[in-house]
Amino acid sequence: MLDALAHTLRSRPDRPAVLGTTRSGAVRTKATCGELADLADRYAGALHARGLRRGDTAGVAVRPGPRALAVLLAVHRLGLRAAVLDPGAGPDVLRARLALARPDIVLADAAAQAVAGWARPLARRARLALPDLAELGGPVATVGRRLPGCAPALEAARGAAALPRPVDEDGDAVIVFTSGTTSRPRAVVHTRSSLAAGMATVTGLVRPEPGRPVLGGTFFVLVPSLANGAPVALPARSPRVLARQLRRLDPQATYLTPPQLRAALAADARFGGRVWTGSAPASAELLTRVRRAGAAEAWGVYALTELFPAAAVEQAEKAAFTGDGDLVGAPLPGVTARPGHDGELLLSGPAARHRHLGEEPEPWVRTGDRGRLDGDGRIVLAGRCKDMVLRRAENIYPGLYEPALHVPGVELALLVGVPAGDGDERLVAVVQPRHEADPAEVRAALAGPLHRMGTARPDALLLADIPLSGRSLKPDRTATARLAATRTTEVLR
């Protein structure tokens, strides 16, 4: 897919590739196809001139946009592997991750470096923080504009470095950090072939048409869309500007996370074409709201860092599901799914990660989700394995019941366990109403679903804003449980 992208960029150099937006929502071109291809070639030449060769590792801490994509194209051409560094993870976590990945060079933009001079205030405004890269001992290069105190620029003088032939063999492509601690970070390793398989699946799902824009900012949106001749617009950060951007851009397809969708809907955004969402749970209610806001189709995508994407379900199918649990759809082509002996959902397929960094390859991806296959072969989730609540010797899996709590007027809903003081737990339903909803009407709408939960009925109900965490702003269960423990709750009888 990346090879196809390189060819597409060169075949139509004047066509817009990456689009941005003004505050009024007007479309502006951030990079044309030719500019993106030239930038990737310059980065590849510069990395080659620095002695980077097939199999070496490049740490990448560059914010999404044309430069980040050009870096990844350059890394792919040389057969390097990219270790993706999240500048928002904090210095201690990043220091531990760098020690595990042992990159031969770190590529960072000025804001991510957070070093001396006026780069530090810029980084703070962008909520980015890397350790002082100079202390790591290895070479560091600045991608993009270089500010005082930054490492030397990556780019060599134009024409100074000859481009090597593109690597055309399988091998490690990317390291993506997932869970773990500062003492033992964990990361998955994708190969060039597993990345290609994942992006081919995305292409089959989204079906991008040449010349019509796609809205989305992830690597798995950018590459398939651009490879098929569709320019990609990076979503505006402000919900109000995003609403204007959607109106002016009229994209054929849109990919936003559930928090982005909720914020856009609150800003009265209108959608068109097909809308996709993932990275965090998407309820049938949220997908229905997207359809009501004009989308021709609204899809929830079930994906993991270890295997992207695994399954997808359209709003109509999800809304019609009446069983327990969260329907996420049939496994996508090439994906095999089965429950393990302990109820954990296991996945495999061509797009699955090769291994965890520093460990041996594994044939199955352990998702950490309890799941089953229904009579139609569709995946139904019952929540995270670790989220089980033990109440009066009964194991309660929140994921079985939370989808039923997303009634009209509810933005988010979680079931969490709160210590009861005797080794037992109380089950609390924490529900976040939509900003325009009447709390009394929300309580009335919840009465039926709560009653139908039977022996898993919560002990208490709390209407409150649910804390979010992580880059994709997923609901934070730990913080929500703390909130439930400290707030007076409505006892259910």
Side-chain angles (χ1 to χ4, degrees):
M1 182 70 68
L2 285 167
D3 295 328
L5 172 56
H7 174 75
T8 300
L9 295 177
R10 285 298 181 199
S11 64
R12 298 291 297 272
D14 296 330
R15 177 180 289 178
V18 182
L19 307 174
T21 185
T22 65
R23 290 193 62 81
S24 68
V27 179
R28 65 184 183 90
T29 300
K30 296 176 72 72
T32 65
C33 291
E35 289 168 343
L36 190 55
D38 289 343
L39 190 58
D41 285 351
R42 295 206 303 272
Y43 288 162
L47 289 169
H48 187 70
R50 287 171 175 260
L52 276 293
R53 297 295 183 266
R54 183 178 182 272
D56 288 342
T57 300
V60 180
V62 183
R63 289 171 296 172
R67 291 192 183 99
L69 183 56
V71 164
L72 294 175
L73 286 171
V75 165
H76 178 79
R77 181 188 182 104
L78 298 177
L80 312 178
R81 64 178 183 179
V84 180
L85 305 174
D86 176 10
D92 293 339
V93 171
L94 282 165
R95 193 176 287 109
R97 291 176 174 179
L98 287 164
L100 176 63
R102 301 173 63 87
D104 298 280
I105 189 171
V106 173
L107 307 175
D109 58 26
Q113 291 184 50
V115 291
W118 43 290
R120 184 176 285 117
L122 175 62
R124 282 199 299 266
R125 287 198 298 273
R127 296 182 180 179
L128 306 175
L130 283 173
D132 187 344
L133 298 178
E135 72 186 40
L136 301 176
V140 181
T142 299
V143 173
R145 183 185 177 193
R146 181 178 177 274
L147 300 178
C150 291
L154 169 64
E155 291 185 65
R158 294 174 185 260
L163 280 173
R165 292 178 59 84
V167 170
D168 189 22
E169 300 174 9
D170 200 10
D172 290 354
V174 64
I175 299 169
V176 185
F177 291 92
T178 54
S179 57
T181 64
T182 54
S183 60
R184 192 182 178 188
R186 297 206 76 194
V188 299
V189 180
H190 275 282
T191 62
R192 293 160 68 95
S193 58
S194 69
L195 278 187
M199 288 186 284
T201 303
V202 172
T203 301
L205 273 177
V206 180
R207 308 184 304 276
E209 299 176 11
R212 297 186 58 198
V214 171
L215 180 70
T218 69
F219 182 70
F220 275 90
V221 172
L222 283 161
V223 173
S225 301
L226 289 171
N228 285 274
V232 179
L234 303 178
R237 293 184 181 180
S238 162
R240 292 188 180 279
V241 177
L242 177 58
R244 299 183 195 119
Q245 182 184 22
L246 284 163
R247 184 176 64 253
R248 299 282 289 270
L249 188 69
D250 189 25
Q252 60 170 306
T254 298
Y255 182 90
L256 297 170
T257 64
Q260 286 176 311
L261 281 181
R262 290 193 292 268
L265 288 166
D268 297 323
R270 298 292 300 173
F271 295 92
R274 299 182 302 278
V275 177
W276 306 83
T277 189
S279 301
S283 66
E285 171 68 12
L286 176 61
L287 297 181
T288 300
R289 291 171 61 195
V290 173
R291 285 289 303 272
R292 289 173 179 165
E297 300 173 8
W299 291 80
V301 180
Y302 177 54
L304 302 91
T305 305
E306 293 85 352
L307 197 160
F308 185 100
V313 62
E314 209 277 323
Q315 174 270 337
E317 183 180 3
K318 185 154 186 160
F321 180 72
T322 57
D324 289 336
D326 183 20
L327 175 69
V328 295
L332 292 168
V335 177
T336 301
R338 68 174 178 85
H341 69 277
D342 55 356
E344 182 178 7
L345 180 68
L346 305 178
L347 300 174
S348 69
R353 55 91 185 100
H354 182 253
R355 66 190 187 281
H356 283 91
L357 186 60
E359 301 177 19
E360 293 298 314
E362 300 172 278
W364 291 91
V365 171
R366 300 186 66 89
T367 63
D369 292 318
R370 288 180 54 83
R372 70 179 192 275
L373 299 180
D374 71 0
D376 296 318
R378 301 177 301 179
I379 298 173
V380 181
L381 300 182
R384 300 291 291 171
C385 296
K386 65 181 181 181
D387 293 333
M388 183 191 77
V389 177
L390 180 62
R391 183 182 63 174
R392 295 188 289 276
E394 179 184 7
N395 296 339
I396 299 173
Y397 295 95
L400 279 174
Y401 307 102
E402 287 169 349
L405 301 179
H406 285 84
V407 298
V410 169
E411 193 81 87
L412 292 171
L414 293 182
L415 292 169
V416 296
V418 174
D422 55 1
D424 204 355
E425 291 182 286
R426 297 172 67 239
L427 184 65
V428 179
V430 183
V431 175
Q432 177 179 320
R434 289 164 53 184
H435 72 279
E436 74 277 11
D438 181 339
E441 292 181 0
V442 170
R443 286 189 177 89
L446 287 169
L450 290 170
H451 178 74
R452 290 191 295 273
M453 289 174 65
T455 59
R457 188 168 184 252
D459 300 294
L461 170 66
L462 171 64
L463 299 188
D465 288 344
I466 290 176
L468 307 176
S469 65
R471 294 184 66 184
S472 56
L473 297 179
K474 296 180 182 180
D476 188 326
R477 288 186 180 273
T478 301
T480 302
R482 288 198 299 266
L483 175 69
T486 58
R487 293 277 296 274
T488 301
T489 54
E490 176 185 338
V491 178
L492 299 177
R493 301 186 185 280

